[in-house]
Amino acid sequence: MVPISYEKRNLLILWISNFFVAASMTMIMPFLSLYIESMGNFSEAYVQRWAGLIFSITFITAFLFSPIWGRIGDKFGYKPVLLTIGTGLSVNLYLMGLMQSVIELFFLRLVMGVVTGFISISLALVASQTPKRMAGEVLGTLQTGNVTGNLFGPLIGGALADWVGFKYTFIITSCAIFIATLFVFFGVKERRNTEKSRKREIYSRKEVFDLIFQKKVLATMMLLSMLVQVAVMTLQPLLALYVSQLSKSENTAFLAGVTFSATGFGNLLATRSWGKLGDRIGHEKVIQYLLIACALIFIPQGLVTKLWQLIALRFILGIAVGGIIPCMTAYVRQTSPLEVQGEMQGYNVSFRFLGNVIGPAMGGFISGFIGISSVFFVTSGLLFLAFLILSWSIRQEGEKKHKVRSIHV
């Protein structure tokens, strides 16, 4: 039997860990309002208001803290940070199952955002041991763990809540996260070139910002991380309502789940392949193609008359959008020094978290004024704008390089 290399073992363990972390972030979605209701005799408006606040607050604090964890990882090593975050997340989830008030739950969800840098740190660790020519394929593979967790998190959370109740759902998930953290402790091996680190000065935060803004395409990737996530999340609070308009079935919740999952399955199937293609022809080119494809696929979703048409289009959308995030991640790996991979990936993930907050709010605001169908058209326009911004930044960077070459000649 051929022994598995430490790089492949790291990838496998971190894939499993990312699955559990991503699932824990979304598992509360199906029963959050019910959990709040169980804490007292509240009005429907009160429950809905607090459900939105409690769900969103995690992503707001995650937006702030993800780059901080990345910077700590760049300086002291990624594995110790993974262990710290994993343990903190496990304790946080355990305590959620013991909460007696809405305020306590809100506070714990806020703290949960502080310890959600796990995904960006794992990306940085794997990126640091991956050659640039394979970055898209390898990081795309790791990204499927996150995608799969987001896909099955709500399903697992809903099933566990029905089976064992809210309290034990949190406790079981806490144990799963702790076991995944133990896998990282015993199985992940991080090799740091200490001699190289001693010779090279650590980048200050200002120098990291300078690196980002000196490269127009890299800075654009950070912005696109947010715009794409906004586009994906605009339909999050509206999908069940749209499904109920298209279907007269009594199983609206189930059909909404199927429609939501269709995007995830398409995403899961294509993520690794798009990363591999990006390694071959350039990740920025692949992102350009996929932004146009996604913009076009959103338009007919607002025009469908049958539910099966929407499900099919959501599946196709998943295939297209599945390549954007891993290609962005790989591009960051290829254009950033290894010494700041954690912080760079942290900023990239942070902007995605910000999109998680803006997207649902924007979708609800637009649908309230001009209807659910219009949200698809606005989202299409947003993605087309993202394509134009990326194309402009690529052209500007190309002209800059041409001028530099001309001066040297």
Side-chain angles (χ1 to χ4, degrees):
M1 183 176 177
V2 179
I4 186 171
S5 67
Y6 84 92
E7 293 94 345
K8 290 182 178 179
R9 186 176 69 246
N10 287 354
L11 181 62
L12 175 61
I13 292 172
L14 291 173
W15 190 100
I16 295 171
S17 301
N18 274 2
F19 169 82
F20 282 115
V21 170
S24 72
M25 293 282 286
T26 56
M27 68 156 200
I28 197 173
M29 287 167 56
F31 63 85
L32 178 57
S33 58
L34 299 176
Y35 190 42
I36 293 172
E37 281 182 344
S38 71
M39 294 178 178
N41 186 21
F42 306 125
S43 68
E44 186 176 342
Y46 180 92
V47 171
Q48 290 176 351
R49 183 167 61 251
W50 275 102
L53 288 171
I54 287 171
F55 181 74
S56 298
I57 192 63
T58 299
F59 297 108
I60 294 173
T61 48
F63 165 74
L64 297 172
F65 279 88
S66 194
I68 295 173
W69 285 119
R71 186 167 183 81
I72 294 171
D74 290 332
K75 188 174 182 180
F76 299 105
Y78 301 124
K79 183 176 176 179
V81 177
L82 287 174
L83 297 175
T84 302
I85 293 173
T87 304
L89 190 58
S90 176
V91 172
N92 184 277
L93 285 164
Y94 181 84
L95 293 175
M96 276 189 199
L98 307 179
M99 291 301 95
Q100 302 294 321
S101 74
V102 176
I103 298 298
E104 291 173 349
L105 182 61
F106 175 83
F107 176 75
L108 280 178
R109 286 285 294 182
L110 183 147
V111 175
M112 186 181 188
V114 176
V115 289
T116 50
F118 193 98
I119 292 170
S120 60
I121 294 297
S122 63
L123 286 169
L125 192 153
V126 172
S128 68
Q129 65 184 28
T130 302
K132 289 185 178 181
R133 69 181 186 279
M134 299 172 57
E137 181 181 1
V138 174
L139 294 176
T141 301
L142 179 59
Q143 197 71 33
T144 61
N146 182 24
V147 171
T148 310
N150 285 326
L151 175 62
F152 287 102
L155 302 177
I156 294 171
L160 282 174
D162 287 339
W163 183 35
V164 298
F166 303 134
K167 175 182 176 180
Y168 289 104
T169 296
F170 286 111
I171 292 174
I172 290 170
T173 308
S174 169
C175 292
I177 295 288
F178 187 70
I179 291 170
T181 305
L182 289 178
F183 281 151
V184 172
F185 179 76
F186 289 108
V188 169
K189 185 175 184 180
E190 180 180 9
R191 288 186 178 176
R192 293 174 61 82
N193 194 332
T194 54
E195 183 179 348
K196 189 176 181 182
S197 298
R198 281 196 296 267
K199 289 181 180 179
R200 186 168 296 183
E201 186 180 351
I202 295 174
Y203 287 80
S204 68
R205 186 162 293 153
K206 181 181 180 301
E207 288 172 329
V208 174
F209 279 119
D210 288 342
L211 281 172
I212 294 173
F213 290 107
Q214 283 170 5
K215 301 177 180 179
K216 282 189 170 62
V217 178
L218 181 59
T220 300
M221 289 297 175
M222 302 293 177
L223 175 63
L224 293 189
S225 289
M226 182 188 72
L227 292 179
V228 170
Q229 203 65 17
V230 168
V232 171
M233 297 295 288
T234 49
L235 270 297
Q236 195 80 355
L238 307 171
L239 203 56
L241 294 173
Y242 196 52
V243 167
S244 68
Q245 292 178 8
L246 296 171
S247 173
K248 303 303 179 184
S249 171
E250 295 180 357
N251 300 319
T252 301
F254 172 75
L255 293 174
V258 171
T259 308
F260 176 78
S261 297
T263 307
F265 280 117
N267 200 314
L268 184 61
L269 288 175
T271 294
R272 185 172 180 270
S273 299
W274 288 124
K276 197 171 182 179
L277 179 63
D279 289 335
R280 245 187 12 252
I281 68 172
H283 296 289
E284 65 275 27
K285 290 181 181 178
V286 174
I287 294 170
Q288 280 183 295
Y289 302 147
L290 293 179
L291 285 172
I292 284 292
C294 290
L296 294 174
I297 294 167
F298 263 105
I299 294 172
Q301 290 182 56
L303 304 172
V304 296
T305 56
K306 303 289 184 183
L307 181 59
W308 69 265
Q309 297 169 344
L310 179 63
I311 293 173
L313 287 168
R314 298 293 292 180
F315 176 75
I316 297 170
L317 175 68
I319 292 175
V321 81
I324 295 177
I325 298 302
C327 283
M328 285 180 178
T329 304
Y331 186 85
V332 172
R333 159 66 183 96
Q334 291 181 338
T335 55
S336 305
L338 281 175
E339 291 80 5
V340 293
Q341 281 293 309
E343 190 167 356
M344 287 289 196
Q345 297 293 355
Y347 286 123
N348 194 31
V349 172
S350 279
F351 277 99
R352 293 215 300 273
F353 284 140
L354 187 59
N356 285 339
V357 177
I358 297 172
M362 184 178 115
F365 180 82
I366 294 170
S367 66
F369 277 92
I370 47 179
I372 295 178
S373 295
S374 63
V375 178
F376 292 101
F377 307 136
V378 173
T379 301
S380 175
L382 184 66
L383 289 167
F384 185 67
L385 175 64
F387 165 78
L388 293 177
I389 293 171
L390 179 58
S391 300
W392 174 81
S393 62
I394 290 172
R395 187 169 63 252
Q396 289 289 309
E397 194 162 289
E399 291 175 359
K400 182 180 177 182
K401 289 179 180 178
H402 179 70
K403 288 179 181 176
V404 171
R405 282 198 298 267
S406 300
I407 291 171
H408 286 300
V409 172

